[in-house]
Amino acid sequence: MVAVADRSAAIRPGDILGFATLRNEMQRLPEFLDHYRKLGVAHFLIVDNASDDGSADFLRGQPDVSLWTTPASYREARFGLDWMGALLLRHGHGHWCVCVDADELLVYPHCDSHDLHALTGYLQARGVAGMGAMMLDLYPQGPLDQPGPGGSVIQQLPWFDPGPYACQILQPRRNRWLQGGPRARVFFADRPARAPTLNKLPLIRWNWRYVYVNSTHSMLPARLNDLYDGPGDPRLSGVLLHSKFLPGIGARSSEELARRQHFADPDAYQTYHQALTAAPVLWHPGSVRYRDWRQLAELGLIGGGDWSNE
């Protein structure tokens, strides 16, 4: 990694930090940064993997962003974990860290009135090391890749699957394996075990002894994987609004077919990427239009614990 704009000297004790690795996310970056700034992230540490859409130039100009770039293989870097892990080790210790992709916007109970400082204060007072979240795929009503109404992610992708979702525990690390939603329903109906993993651990009070193992889906020490049991878990949890299906998904899927960087076994997911290039319709009669975190709580997709009494 080469430092392009290292402003990490500006980080202060108590700052909440945001970490991400990305490639060609210019269409999402303004909303991404705005969302997490409003939640209370003070500084972003981002690795850009050879973007050619202006992402790096845009990030270089943001005063609260430290930026590194690398042309190296995303797959050989454990899908970017080695890059992000190096930054977490160097800068994250003792800080609450938000570790997300550029297509993920975190929401949680009372996020419209209680920022991440309030949330992490609640967790820290109870000796809780982090908060889990479910990745919730958002999609349009019509075929993917059709020009939409513009605006925010939610305006462009207003629909989601309220269920079913199933979570299992895998040994020996006790990592959770949450599956379901439109990708399981449309692309993996005949091979459900291959459906993407939806559980993540995006908010952690970082310690130099910690490490992400499989994206942000699982961690070591193994006890950290017990922080989240998926939908229905009564403890405080969040949802990552996932904007994978914005217009342009077809071109990105075609590129991935050629680059072969996003799966340990790319051949096993060729039909998935090929299906995405055909711009299918993900909407079905069971789809629900997204409203807010209260709706997610009513559906049992996020938990509040006793946070609602704060």
Side-chain angles (χ1 to χ4, degrees):
M1 296 189 300
V2 175
V4 174
D6 185 353
R7 303 180 176 100
S8 59
I11 296 172
R12 296 292 178 258
D15 280 351
I16 294 173
L17 307 180
F19 291 80
T21 63
L22 58 86
R23 172 181 165 84
N24 288 344
E25 293 290 5
M26 190 59 228
Q27 70 178 140
R28 293 179 173 87
L29 282 174
E31 183 175 3
F32 172 83
L33 293 175
D34 182 61
H35 179 84
Y36 286 105
R37 284 166 177 156
K38 287 178 178 176
L39 288 182
V41 172
H43 199 88
F44 298 87
L45 300 100
I46 297 177
V47 180
D48 179 272
N49 186 203
S51 291
D52 56 15
D53 70 341
S55 291
D57 289 337
F58 173 78
L59 291 168
R60 186 186 296 117
Q62 303 301 307
D64 55 354
V65 172
S66 289
L67 177 68
W68 289 260
T69 63
T70 176
S73 167
Y74 179 77
R75 184 181 175 193
E76 291 179 7
R78 291 193 310 127
F79 310 104
L81 284 184
D82 290 344
W83 306 329
M84 189 167 70
L87 295 180
L88 282 163
L89 180 64
R90 188 179 306 167
H91 302 288
H93 180 74
H95 290 270
W96 282 93
C97 298
V98 180
C99 303
V100 289
D101 293 335
D103 61 3
E104 297 172 342
L105 302 179
L106 179 65
V107 297
Y108 52 85
H110 305 287
C111 60
D112 50 1
S113 58
H114 292 62
D115 67 9
L116 286 169
H117 288 282
L119 177 68
T120 56
Y122 164 89
L123 294 171
Q124 195 160 332
R126 287 155 179 77
V128 179
M131 185 186 75
M134 170 184 155
M135 189 164 55
L136 187 68
D137 288 316
L138 303 178
Y139 50 85
Q141 187 164 14
L144 300 185
D145 250 358
Q146 298 301 305
S152 70
V153 162
I154 294 169
Q155 289 171 326
Q156 295 184 70
L157 306 174
W159 300 92
F160 69 94
D161 279 21
Y165 296 98
C167 188
Q168 57 181 310
I169 302 175
L170 301 183
Q171 299 298 342
R173 292 197 301 266
R174 305 198 305 275
N175 53 300
R176 273 49 176 183
W177 197 260
L178 173 63
Q179 294 170 297
R183 284 184 286 171
R185 171 170 54 82
V186 175
F187 303 110
F188 296 92
D190 60 338
R191 43 192 178 133
R194 288 282 189 177
T197 315
L198 303 178
N199 54 291
K200 290 202 166 186
L201 296 167
L203 178 64
I204 299 290
R205 189 171 192 272
W206 201 259
N207 185 289
W208 67 269
R209 297 177 179 86
Y210 296 172
V211 64
Y212 282 115
V213 177
N214 173 24
S215 179
T216 56
H217 302 301
S218 64
M219 298 186 69
L220 289 173
R223 59 181 169 78
L224 296 170
N225 296 318
D226 294 330
L227 287 169
Y228 181 55
D229 277 330
D233 189 334
R235 296 172 296 177
L236 179 60
S237 63
V239 151
L240 293 164
L241 301 176
H242 189 213
S243 64
K244 179 181 181 68
F245 299 118
L246 282 178
I249 181 62
R252 293 175 76 98
S253 296
S254 295
E255 180 186 28
E256 182 49 36
L257 281 168
R259 293 183 71 239
R260 298 167 60 84
Q261 290 291 300
H262 276 84
F263 293 101
D265 183 5
D267 291 332
Y269 288 86
Q270 269 201 325
T271 55
Y272 170 51
H273 287 294
Q274 288 167 347
L276 282 170
T277 64
V281 174
L282 302 186
W283 189 92
H284 72 136
S287 299
V288 172
R289 183 182 284 273
Y290 178 79
R291 188 176 73 241
D292 56 19
W293 67 263
R294 293 172 181 84
Q295 173 196 39
L296 300 178
E298 291 165 3
L299 292 168
L301 298 180
I302 58 175
D306 60 357
W307 168 246
S308 59
N309 300 324
E310 291 295 302

